[in-house]
Amino acid sequence: MRPPMKPLKPLDEALAELLGHATPLAGTDTVTTFDADGRVLAQGCSSVLQVPPNDNSAMDGYAVRCADVVAMGLALPVSQRIAAGSAGEPLQPGTAARIFTGAPVPAGADAILMQEDCEALDDGSVRVNAVPRPGQWIRRAGEDITRGAVVLQAGTRLSPAELGLAASIGLAQLQVARRPRVALFSTGDELVMPGDVPPEQMRPGAIYNSNRFFLRAMLLRLGCEVTDFGIVPDRRDATIAALRQASNAHDLILTSGGVSVGEEDHIKPAVESLGTLDLWQIAMKPGKPFAYGRVGAAHFMGLPGNPVSSFLTFALLVRPFVLRLQGVQDVAPQSMAVRADFTWPKGDKRREFLRVRHNATGGLDLFDNQSSGVLTSAAWGDGVVDNPAGQTIAPGDMVRFIAFSELLS
């Protein structure tokens, strides 16, 4: 008698369990700020200076005293010229200073007049054609960063903006989490590598291994060091040998295919022979089969073989796990409410992730074929609708949209 099927595990519950196992990796790297894009800060950054360091001009123009410019049309002698990178003398009453963007505002000046509001005269003076307000076009010292402020928190994943911020407080090097070392392999005798066999010579039942390409790319985008073990034959001894080798010097083993319970699915007994395994059936569509366990000191994750299932289980489960290994705390993708311009007449018992893309009127169009084997839907779309179990969708409904840019970077 077949044992009763276990209930499907909700996606949020599965993710919470995974993240509970994701202890940040020991060890850090010191890298130049130039080379830190995408890395995760292991140590927060505080500023020993203020930015900007002094009051400076936000415009090319003239520094003046407001008390000297009480009406339009007045002419003031130009007493000095101040370029960015130089310091001027205190501004004498009744004069103006020619000043350029980024140059320090001279003591005594309390406003900047844009050069468009001024007219340089032949005698070296300037006619002002506007009445300034105190503080006009002056960027105040420390208005961006104050001395002693924590500018970047530990656990921040660095983007170009954060690199610029670190550079602005003088940091040439940053302490970052070390890269996760990931062993990647696929299982399945049906798999063939592109380039090994031309399409016209493919044997019956053979398919090209697409999962290997997008999984590797997604891991690299997350800052991982990837060892590609290729395609492992559908034999238990070969699977055990690959897992044993992969468990050496890797933090995570990631496989695609073989996590179901068929006679040719050897991942479960192979992992259990070397370590521990939880084989979950997750209440999500596509992507129901998913496995987590340990092989030696390495984490193990097994993804389904269907390409869209593998793609989305990586994005929704593996991605946050890998980020948490690097110390990132906020690993949830951002979503937004967007208008659906399609019909979804029958909701599934599982939580669905429907491939969609924006249209010219600001709504979402649905890819016609939502099968877990149709990778075209992911290439065509620019995100997914996170549709609750049992939920139907009618044109005009507001749905929860998650962009692929949130899931793949």
Side-chain angles (χ1 to χ4, degrees):
M1 182 176 179
R2 175 178 291 182
M5 293 184 64
K6 292 182 179 181
L8 299 179
K9 187 181 289 288
L11 176 61
D12 290 341
E13 183 179 328
L15 178 58
E17 286 189 37
L18 279 177
L19 294 180
H21 294 292
T23 303
L25 301 172
T28 61
D29 296 327
T30 300
V31 299
T32 69
T33 304
F34 269 126
D35 298 320
D37 185 35
R39 302 297 294 269
V40 177
L41 270 182
Q43 180 178 316
C45 302
S46 299
S47 180
V48 298
L49 48 79
Q50 59 183 5
V51 180
N54 42 46
D55 292 355
N56 68 89
S57 177
M59 291 286 176
D60 290 345
Y62 294 86
V64 296
R65 294 172 179 268
C66 290
D68 294 335
V69 187
V70 295
M72 295 171 55
L74 295 175
L76 299 173
V78 177
S79 57
Q80 57 183 312
R81 183 180 186 275
I82 311 171
S86 62
E89 299 294 330
L91 185 66
Q92 298 301 312
T95 71
R98 180 69 165 120
I99 197 167
F100 297 89
T101 303
V105 176
D110 57 5
I112 305 295
L113 281 164
M114 293 190 299
Q115 62 186 19
E116 292 85 350
D117 292 331
C118 301
E119 179 184 353
L121 303 176
D122 292 339
D123 63 0
S125 62
V126 61
R127 178 178 291 117
V128 294
N129 298 318
V131 176
R133 302 182 309 276
Q136 174 178 292
W137 300 121
I138 293 177
R139 295 186 291 215
R140 295 300 182 185
E143 72 175 29
D144 186 5
I145 300 169
T146 58
R147 186 177 286 107
V150 177
V151 175
L152 295 169
Q153 299 278 355
T156 299
R157 193 165 177 221
L158 297 167
S159 72
E162 281 84 20
L163 299 186
L165 199 55
S168 74
I169 60 172
L171 297 179
Q173 293 184 320
L174 297 170
Q175 198 80 9
V176 296
R178 74 166 174 83
R179 296 183 184 276
R181 296 186 288 266
V182 182
L184 174 66
F185 64 83
S186 304
T187 65
D189 288 341
E190 75 278 12
L191 298 176
V192 175
M193 281 298 292
D196 288 353
V197 180
E200 65 274 10
Q201 295 179 18
M202 291 276 279
R203 67 182 185 276
I207 58 173
Y208 287 120
N209 185 1
S210 60
N211 294 16
R212 183 175 175 184
F213 287 82
F214 65 70
L215 292 175
R216 180 179 180 274
M218 292 159 89
L219 287 167
L220 292 175
R221 286 191 176 198
L222 294 174
C224 299
E225 295 177 359
V226 181
T227 305
D228 189 342
F229 282 77
I231 301 169
V232 175
D234 272 333
R235 301 195 318 271
R236 185 172 301 185
D237 62 335
T239 305
I240 290 174
L243 287 169
R244 182 178 288 116
Q245 182 183 2
S247 67
N248 295 322
H250 289 95
D251 305 300
L252 170 65
I253 302 169
L254 183 67
T255 67
S256 174
V259 293
S260 296
V261 291
E263 293 179 2
E264 296 301 319
D265 296 315
H266 301 297
I267 289 292
K268 182 178 186 294
V271 173
E272 288 177 332
S273 72
L274 299 172
T276 61
L277 181 69
D278 290 320
L279 192 64
W280 296 335
Q281 299 287 301
I282 299 177
M284 63 178 287
K285 183 180 181 181
K288 183 171 70 171
F290 179 83
Y292 171 79
R294 299 295 290 257
V295 180
H299 299 279
F300 169 82
M301 289 187 179
L303 305 180
N306 279 329
V308 182
S309 298
S310 188
F311 184 85
L312 286 174
T313 49
F314 182 101
L316 296 167
L317 293 168
V318 181
R319 176 187 177 273
F321 184 88
V322 168
L323 290 176
R324 185 62 60 81
L325 287 180
Q326 297 175 79
V328 179
Q329 290 302 308
D330 185 6
V331 296
Q334 297 296 309
S335 64
M336 64 181 72
V338 183
R339 185 189 74 244
D341 287 345
F342 61 87
T343 298
W344 192 247
K346 185 179 179 181
D348 195 85
K349 64 181 181 180
R350 292 176 280 165
R351 181 175 171 182
E352 298 174 287
F353 292 89
L354 308 173
R355 278 76 72 204
V356 295
R357 73 177 178 191
H358 287 97
N359 58 38
T361 63
L364 296 172
D365 293 331
L366 182 74
F367 192 77
D368 289 340
N369 189 338
Q370 292 289 316
S371 167
S372 63
V374 180
L375 192 56
T376 308
S377 64
W380 173 90
D382 53 22
V384 293
V385 167
D386 182 355
N387 194 43
Q391 182 71 49
T392 61
I393 300 173
D397 288 349
M398 299 302 289
V399 293
R400 184 184 176 198
F401 171 76
I402 307 175
F404 282 146
S405 59
E406 285 288 321
L407 295 172
L408 304 178
S409 61

